[in-house]
Amino acid sequence: TFVQLLINLKQSNKMKKILLILTILISTATLAQRTAESKYTFGFGVNFIDNSGTAKTNFFETDNWNVIPFFLAFTVERKMDKNFKLNAQFLLNEYDKDNIQNGGKIEYNATYTSVNLNALYTFDSHFVDVDWFDASVIAGAGAMWLDGIPNQTFNTGLALDFKLSKMVGLRLETQGRFAFEKQLLGNNHIVHAVSVILPIK
């Protein structure tokens, strides 16, 4: 009977270990799912600015795009409901004197800083609803500084989100920035960004 009791205890410990492992796995999966479905996300990436600025410009002529090859595009985003999101964005870049800016050349590199608040409406579910892809239209406003000279912009564009996993996404984004003060060097321009999107809560 004593031997049988030891066997029962051993089996009981095995069962406890199995239940503990199952509990940890289930808790981890639940936490991952909650995190992946978070209302808040953080994005970081690279931004490209097209400020060549003439009506005849080829918008996909990348030779004149301004870029600093570092992660200098940052976003914090809150999902309000299934289709609507609010997005705060910070960008840092530089207008390169070797590129065409507003149809001509500039004498020196000019630092570009931008802070924006945008709304995104996700519309792809009206046509094809798949879990791994979202397409959103963008509208918002921003404040920008070019070498410290301020201007304000109205923003509109398109964002394409690709869900690489439950925890990681990739966003391709293009925005037209329409400046309030047209006579300044930092006036109308196009911003492209490639960003990694991660849940933060």
Side-chain angles (χ1 to χ4, degrees), residues 17-33:
K17 289 178 181 178
I18 292 170
L19 288 174
L20 179 61
I21 291 170
L22 286 174
T23 302
I24 292 171
L25 290 175
I26 291 169
S27 300
T28 304
T30 303
L31 179 61
Q33 185 176 4

PDB file of all heavy atoms in Angstrom, residues 17-33:
ATOM      1  N   LYS A  17       2.604  18.779 -13.287  1.00  0.00           N
ATOM      2  CA  LYS A  17       3.540  19.371 -14.238  1.00  0.00           C
ATOM      3  C   LYS A  17       2.879  19.578 -15.593  1.00  0.00           C
ATOM      4  O   LYS A  17       3.057  20.607 -16.244  1.00  0.00           O
ATOM      5  CB  LYS A  17       4.780  18.487 -14.375  1.00  0.00           C
ATOM      6  CG  LYS A  17       5.687  18.503 -13.153  1.00  0.00           C
ATOM      7  CD  LYS A  17       6.874  17.581 -13.337  1.00  0.00           C
ATOM      8  CE  LYS A  17       7.769  17.570 -12.101  1.00  0.00           C
ATOM      9  NZ  LYS A  17       8.907  16.628 -12.239  1.00  0.00           N
ATOM     10  N   ILE A  18       2.118  18.561 -16.011  1.00  0.00           N
ATOM     11  CA  ILE A  18       1.414  18.661 -17.296  1.00  0.00           C
ATOM     12  C   ILE A  18       0.423  19.815 -17.274  1.00  0.00           C
ATOM     13  O   ILE A  18       0.358  20.622 -18.214  1.00  0.00           O
ATOM     14  CB  ILE A  18       0.706  17.335 -17.637  1.00  0.00           C
ATOM     15  CG1 ILE A  18       1.750  16.253 -17.931  1.00  0.00           C
ATOM     16  CG2 ILE A  18      -0.225  17.499 -18.834  1.00  0.00           C
ATOM     17  CD1 ILE A  18       1.179  14.859 -18.048  1.00  0.00           C
ATOM     18  N   LEU A  19      -0.344  19.908 -16.157  1.00  0.00           N
ATOM     19  CA  LEU A  19      -1.316  20.995 -16.038  1.00  0.00           C
ATOM     20  C   LEU A  19      -0.626  22.354 -15.994  1.00  0.00           C
ATOM     21  O   LEU A  19      -1.107  23.335 -16.577  1.00  0.00           O
ATOM     22  CB  LEU A  19      -2.164  20.793 -14.773  1.00  0.00           C
ATOM     23  CG  LEU A  19      -3.181  19.645 -14.824  1.00  0.00           C
ATOM     24  CD1 LEU A  19      -3.837  19.461 -13.465  1.00  0.00           C
ATOM     25  CD2 LEU A  19      -4.232  19.909 -15.895  1.00  0.00           C
ATOM     26  N   LEU A  20       0.547  22.418 -15.301  1.00  0.00           N
ATOM     27  CA  LEU A  20       1.292  23.672 -15.234  1.00  0.00           C
ATOM     28  C   LEU A  20       1.771  24.095 -16.618  1.00  0.00           C
ATOM     29  O   LEU A  20       1.650  25.261 -17.003  1.00  0.00           O
ATOM     30  CB  LEU A  20       2.475  23.524 -14.277  1.00  0.00           C
ATOM     31  CG  LEU A  20       3.369  24.757 -14.116  1.00  0.00           C
ATOM     32  CD1 LEU A  20       2.567  25.929 -13.555  1.00  0.00           C
ATOM     33  CD2 LEU A  20       4.566  24.440 -13.223  1.00  0.00           C
ATOM     34  N   ILE A  21       2.315  23.136 -17.365  1.00  0.00           N
ATOM     35  CA  ILE A  21       2.797  23.434 -18.724  1.00  0.00           C
ATOM     36  C   ILE A  21       1.645  23.895 -19.612  1.00  0.00           C
ATOM     37  O   ILE A  21       1.766  24.874 -20.359  1.00  0.00           O
ATOM     38  CB  ILE A  21       3.501  22.207 -19.326  1.00  0.00           C
ATOM     39  CG1 ILE A  21       4.822  21.950 -18.586  1.00  0.00           C
ATOM     40  CG2 ILE A  21       3.767  22.410 -20.819  1.00  0.00           C
ATOM     41  CD1 ILE A  21       5.479  20.629 -18.926  1.00  0.00           C
ATOM     42  N   LEU A  22       0.516  23.187 -19.524  1.00  0.00           N
ATOM     43  CA  LEU A  22      -0.652  23.566 -20.318  1.00  0.00           C
ATOM     44  C   LEU A  22      -1.141  24.966 -19.946  1.00  0.00           C
ATOM     45  O   LEU A  22      -1.496  25.769 -20.812  1.00  0.00           O
ATOM     46  CB  LEU A  22      -1.780  22.549 -20.127  1.00  0.00           C
ATOM     47  CG  LEU A  22      -1.587  21.196 -20.825  1.00  0.00           C
ATOM     48  CD1 LEU A  22      -2.710  20.234 -20.430  1.00  0.00           C
ATOM     49  CD2 LEU A  22      -1.559  21.380 -22.336  1.00  0.00           C
ATOM     50  N   THR A  23      -1.127  25.273 -18.641  1.00  0.00           N
ATOM     51  CA  THR A  23      -1.554  26.601 -18.175  1.00  0.00           C
ATOM     52  C   THR A  23      -0.647  27.695 -18.720  1.00  0.00           C
ATOM     53  O   THR A  23      -1.111  28.740 -19.186  1.00  0.00           O
ATOM     54  CB  THR A  23      -1.561  26.656 -16.638  1.00  0.00           C
ATOM     55  OG1 THR A  23      -2.432  25.641 -16.131  1.00  0.00           O
ATOM     56  CG2 THR A  23      -2.043  28.021 -16.150  1.00  0.00           C
ATOM     57  N   ILE A  24       0.674  27.442 -18.675  1.00  0.00           N
ATOM     58  CA  ILE A  24       1.636  28.427 -19.199  1.00  0.00           C
ATOM     59  C   ILE A  24       1.428  28.637 -20.698  1.00  0.00           C
ATOM     60  O   ILE A  24       1.414  29.773 -21.183  1.00  0.00           O
ATOM     61  CB  ILE A  24       3.086  27.985 -18.908  1.00  0.00           C
ATOM     62  CG1 ILE A  24       3.351  28.054 -17.401  1.00  0.00           C
ATOM     63  CG2 ILE A  24       4.079  28.851 -19.666  1.00  0.00           C
ATOM     64  CD1 ILE A  24       4.660  27.436 -16.988  1.00  0.00           C
ATOM     65  N   LEU A  25       1.256  27.550 -21.434  1.00  0.00           N
ATOM     66  CA  LEU A  25       1.058  27.646 -22.884  1.00  0.00           C
ATOM     67  C   LEU A  25      -0.217  28.409 -23.220  1.00  0.00           C
ATOM     68  O   LEU A  25      -0.230  29.273 -24.101  1.00  0.00           O
ATOM     69  CB  LEU A  25       1.031  26.250 -23.516  1.00  0.00           C
ATOM     70  CG  LEU A  25       2.367  25.499 -23.540  1.00  0.00           C
ATOM     71  CD1 LEU A  25       2.162  24.080 -24.072  1.00  0.00           C
ATOM     72  CD2 LEU A  25       3.380  26.246 -24.408  1.00  0.00           C
ATOM     73  N   ILE A  26      -1.291  28.080 -22.510  1.00  0.00           N
ATOM     74  CA  ILE A  26      -2.566  28.755 -22.769  1.00  0.00           C
ATOM     75  C   ILE A  26      -2.472  30.240 -22.412  1.00  0.00           C
ATOM     76  O   ILE A  26      -2.935  31.112 -23.155  1.00  0.00           O
ATOM     77  CB  ILE A  26      -3.711  28.075 -21.983  1.00  0.00           C
ATOM     78  CG1 ILE A  26      -3.980  26.679 -22.559  1.00  0.00           C
ATOM     79  CG2 ILE A  26      -4.990  28.914 -22.041  1.00  0.00           C
ATOM     80  CD1 ILE A  26      -4.903  25.824 -21.707  1.00  0.00           C
ATOM     81  N   SER A  27      -1.813  30.540 -21.260  1.00  0.00           N
ATOM     82  CA  SER A  27      -1.653  31.938 -20.844  1.00  0.00           C
ATOM     83  C   SER A  27      -0.817  32.720 -21.842  1.00  0.00           C
ATOM     84  O   SER A  27      -1.135  33.864 -22.182  1.00  0.00           O
ATOM     85  CB  SER A  27      -1.001  32.012 -19.463  1.00  0.00           C
ATOM     86  OG  SER A  27      -1.798  31.356 -18.508  1.00  0.00           O
ATOM     87  N   THR A  28       0.259  32.103 -22.323  1.00  0.00           N
ATOM     88  CA  THR A  28       1.125  32.757 -23.310  1.00  0.00           C
ATOM     89  C   THR A  28       0.374  33.031 -24.593  1.00  0.00           C
ATOM     90  O   THR A  28       0.478  34.119 -25.177  1.00  0.00           O
ATOM     91  CB  THR A  28       2.369  31.886 -23.598  1.00  0.00           C
ATOM     92  OG1 THR A  28       3.041  31.624 -22.380  1.00  0.00           O
ATOM     93  CG2 THR A  28       3.304  32.598 -24.573  1.00  0.00           C
ATOM     94  N   ALA A  29      -0.387  32.042 -25.055  1.00  0.00           N
ATOM     95  CA  ALA A  29      -1.164  32.211 -26.283  1.00  0.00           C
ATOM     96  C   ALA A  29      -2.214  33.304 -26.126  1.00  0.00           C
ATOM     97  O   ALA A  29      -2.419  34.121 -27.021  1.00  0.00           O
ATOM     98  CB  ALA A  29      -1.827  30.888 -26.659  1.00  0.00           C
ATOM     99  N   THR A  30      -2.865  33.329 -24.945  1.00  0.00           N
ATOM    100  CA  THR A  30      -3.883  34.347 -24.686  1.00  0.00           C
ATOM    101  C   THR A  30      -3.268  35.731 -24.640  1.00  0.00           C
ATOM    102  O   THR A  30      -3.801  36.689 -25.210  1.00  0.00           O
ATOM    103  CB  THR A  30      -4.602  34.054 -23.354  1.00  0.00           C
ATOM    104  OG1 THR A  30      -5.169  32.740 -23.422  1.00  0.00           O
ATOM    105  CG2 THR A  30      -5.708  35.074 -23.094  1.00  0.00           C
ATOM    106  N   LEU A  31      -2.101  35.856 -23.956  1.00  0.00           N
ATOM    107  CA  LEU A  31      -1.405  37.143 -23.875  1.00  0.00           C
ATOM    108  C   LEU A  31      -0.983  37.613 -25.253  1.00  0.00           C
ATOM    109  O   LEU A  31      -1.149  38.784 -25.602  1.00  0.00           O
ATOM    110  CB  LEU A  31      -0.186  37.024 -22.954  1.00  0.00           C
ATOM    111  CG  LEU A  31       0.670  38.287 -22.794  1.00  0.00           C
ATOM    112  CD1 LEU A  31      -0.176  39.402 -22.186  1.00  0.00           C
ATOM    113  CD2 LEU A  31       1.893  38.005 -21.951  1.00  0.00           C
ATOM    114  N   ALA A  32      -0.439  36.703 -26.060  1.00  0.00           N
ATOM    115  CA  ALA A  32      -0.019  37.060 -27.418  1.00  0.00           C
ATOM    116  C   ALA A  32      -1.202  37.541 -28.240  1.00  0.00           C
ATOM    117  O   ALA A  32      -1.104  38.517 -28.987  1.00  0.00           O
ATOM    118  CB  ALA A  32       0.650  35.866 -28.092  1.00  0.00           C
ATOM    119  N   GLN A  33      -2.343  36.857 -28.093  1.00  0.00           N
ATOM    120  CA  GLN A  33      -3.520  37.244 -28.853  1.00  0.00           C
ATOM    121  C   GLN A  33      -4.014  38.616 -28.411  1.00  0.00           C
ATOM    122  O   GLN A  33      -4.340  39.459 -29.236  1.00  0.00           O
ATOM    123  CB  GLN A  33      -4.624  36.207 -28.678  1.00  0.00           C
ATOM    124  CG  GLN A  33      -5.849  36.492 -29.550  1.00  0.00           C
ATOM    125  CD  GLN A  33      -6.892  35.394 -29.436  1.00  0.00           C
ATOM    126  OE1 GLN A  33      -6.736  34.461 -28.668  1.00  0.00           O
ATOM    127  NE2 GLN A  33      -7.943  35.513 -30.197  1.00  0.00           N
TER     128      GLN A  33
END
